[in-house]
Amino acid sequence: MYAQLVKSEGLKSREEMSPQEQAFQDRVDKGEKIEPKDWMPEGYRKTLVRQIGQHAHSEIVGQLPEGNWITRAPTLERKAILLAKVQDEAGHGLYLYSAAETLGVSRDELLDKLHSGKMKYSSIFNYPTLNWADIGAVGWLVDGAAIMNQVPLQRTSYGPYSRAMIRICKEESFHQRQGYAIMMKMAQGTPDQKNMAQDALNRFWFPSLMMFGPSDKDSVHSAQSMAWKIKINTNDELRQKFVNETVPQAKYLGLTVPDEKLEWNEEKQGYDFSEPDWSEFFEVIKGNGPCNRERMDARVKAWEDGEWFRDGLNAYADKAADRRKAASVAAE
Ligand code: BYC
């Protein structure tokens, strides 16, 4: 695998690697997990910090479009389910910030980079959730795309990231099912409800395909990340898998995927489909999507409003540390 990438993608050949880098690559190739105290190339560490940090931010920012509907969920049961789901996303963010911390970067540093626009989060969360059907579409399509990407990441080479992914994937599959259950209810409801479900699918389909990242020819990090097994599949491979699995689910709902070019291709045993509008994707990740400003304002406000609470926790932690120190001095 590595040898192929060296040829096609111009990565460092074995001969160009230092003995330490060679030994590291051998461990990765053998499928060994890399742990925080192990030696690793600086590029590997940086790529992980970027990817895990971006992933953590996505979980936290991803609470906003759904959190917006907690107070307006149609029944008490739906409210309780949505509340649990949004709470899970906070937990995912925390596992991931903790995994990033093992690489020597603090949560505060990562959040500072998010708030100052130096770090990204998933493009999908810059689209609005206009009505209840959108909450169904987010669970079904957005969490569906997230799982497609995250299941292989359970086998990623960095131990703490891989272990975080195992826990996250268990919860994501529940999230996807709750979204599909909402879509099912609406698709089987009144004609107006079915139209709402179709409209949500129309708006979320292409943004969901964009979640997998740019097409392979434009993906800057894939080759090296795959050689290091930070990524296990290419962006296009996962996008294809998502389309193959999701189209039959849409058919079962009696809904139409908004793509005239969508067609089963017997030869590749998968669907042919239209590419998303990549100029829109690049605009969204540059900060010019429909909700970028609103999302960042909400996160910065939450951070600033929470300052007194963080200060209180830190003051307590400092006092507790002082007490422990005084007790150990007294015992000596
Ligand atoms: N959005 O070289 P490429 C969730 C950037 S949340 C924004 O292919 P890579 C959930 C990319 O960063 C799911 N930016 O990159 C939460 C790079 O720019 P920089 C989040 C994107 O990293 C709440 C440039 O484009 N999942 O589950 O090899 C509620 C070139 O791309 C995006 C993860 O984060 C995007 N979609 O591959 C519900 C999974 N795509 O950094 C659900 C972990 C690309 O050089 N991450 N970019 O400035 C990954 O697997 C990879 O990072 C990606 C991108 C496949 C996303």
Side-chain angles (χ1 to χ4, degrees), residues 108-120:
D108 284 2
E109 277 172 77
L110 290 173
L111 286 170
D112 189 46
K113 285 194 174 148
L114 171 71
H115 299 156
S116 58
K118 289 189 196 127
M119 269 184 99
K120 296 187 168 76

Side-chain angles (χ1 to χ4, degrees), residues 50-51 54-55 58-59 62-63 66 85 89 120-125 138 142-143 146 149-150 153 161 172 210-214 218-222 225 231 235 281-282 285:
R50 181 184 61 78
Q51 182 169 313
Q54 180 171 313
H55 194 166
S58 305
E59 301 284 354
Q63 293 182 100
E66 290 177 292
K85 178 191 189 286
E89 310 298 358
K120 296 187 168 76
Y121 57 89
S122 181
S123 49
I124 191 71
F125 302 117
V138 167
V142 174
D143 288 270
N149 167 283
Q150 287 167 186
L153 289 178
Y161 190 25
E172 290 297 6
M210 293 175 192
M211 286 176 72
F212 296 95
D218 295 320
S219 168
V220 272
H221 303 293
S222 282
S225 289
K231 273 169 92 163
N235 301 353
F281 169 79
F282 286 112
I285 68 173

Side-chain angles (χ1 to χ4, degrees), residues 94-268:
L94 298 187
Y95 308 154
L96 288 162
Y97 286 126
S98 299
E101 276 175 328
T102 66
L103 292 155
V105 55
S106 73
R107 194 177 303 183
D108 284 2
E109 277 172 77
L110 290 173
L111 286 170
D112 189 46
K113 285 194 174 148
L114 171 71
H115 299 156
S116 58
K118 289 189 196 127
M119 269 184 99
K120 296 187 168 76
Y121 57 89
S122 181
S123 49
I124 191 71
F125 302 117
N126 294 305
Y127 291 85
T129 43
L130 303 177
N131 57 47
W132 181 252
D134 287 10
I135 298 305
V138 167
W140 172 37
L141 300 173
V142 174
D143 288 270
I147 306 176
M148 198 54 85
N149 167 283
Q150 287 167 186
V151 164
L153 289 178
Q154 294 177 105
R155 289 180 285 120
T156 192
S157 59
Y158 188 56
Y161 190 25
S162 143
R163 291 188 285 275
M165 278 301 129
I166 293 170
R167 288 186 69 169
I168 291 176
C169 282
K170 289 203 171 87
E171 292 171 353
E172 290 297 6
S173 27
F174 153 71
H175 296 173
Q176 196 266 357
R177 296 300 289 264
Q178 69 84 37
Y180 197 67
I182 295 176
M183 292 304 273
M184 197 123 75
K185 193 87 183 163
M186 297 207 62
Q188 291 167 356
T190 63
D192 276 353
Q193 286 169 330
K194 187 167 180 185
N195 286 341
M196 281 171 73
Q198 180 64 54
D199 172 59
L201 169 58
N202 293 349
R203 283 179 292 106
F204 275 92
W205 177 253
F206 284 108
S208 300
L209 296 189
M210 293 175 192
M211 286 176 72
F212 296 95
S215 62
D216 290 350
K217 64 179 175 15
D218 295 320
S219 168
V220 272
H221 303 293
S222 282
Q224 181 63 75
S225 289
M226 287 177 70
W228 279 332
K229 294 194 187 155
I230 290 175
K231 273 169 92 163
I232 309 294
N233 301 91
T234 73
N235 301 353
D236 285 339
E237 279 168 5
L238 291 175
R239 194 169 8 253
Q240 178 73 56
K241 217 165 170 254
F242 174 74
V243 172
N244 293 350
E245 288 197 12
T246 311
V247 170
Q249 294 169 3
K251 283 191 182 149
Y252 185 77
L253 292 172
L255 301 179
T256 309
V257 172
D259 180 357
E260 284 174 4
K261 289 199 186 143
L262 187 78
E263 200 180 351
W264 179 254
N265 180 330
E266 194 58 36
E267 207 174 311
K268 75 173 182 191

Side-chain angles (χ1 to χ4, degrees), residues 1-13 25 29 221-229 231-232 234 237:
M1 161 80 172
Y2 191 82
Q4 270 170 15
L5 288 167
V6 168
K7 265 201 192 147
S8 62
E9 303 289 341
L11 304 186
K12 264 190 188 178
S13 68
Q25 190 62 50
D29 290 345
H221 303 293
S222 282
Q224 181 63 75
S225 289
M226 287 177 70
W228 279 332
K229 294 194 187 155
K231 273 169 92 163
I232 309 294
T234 73
E237 279 168 5

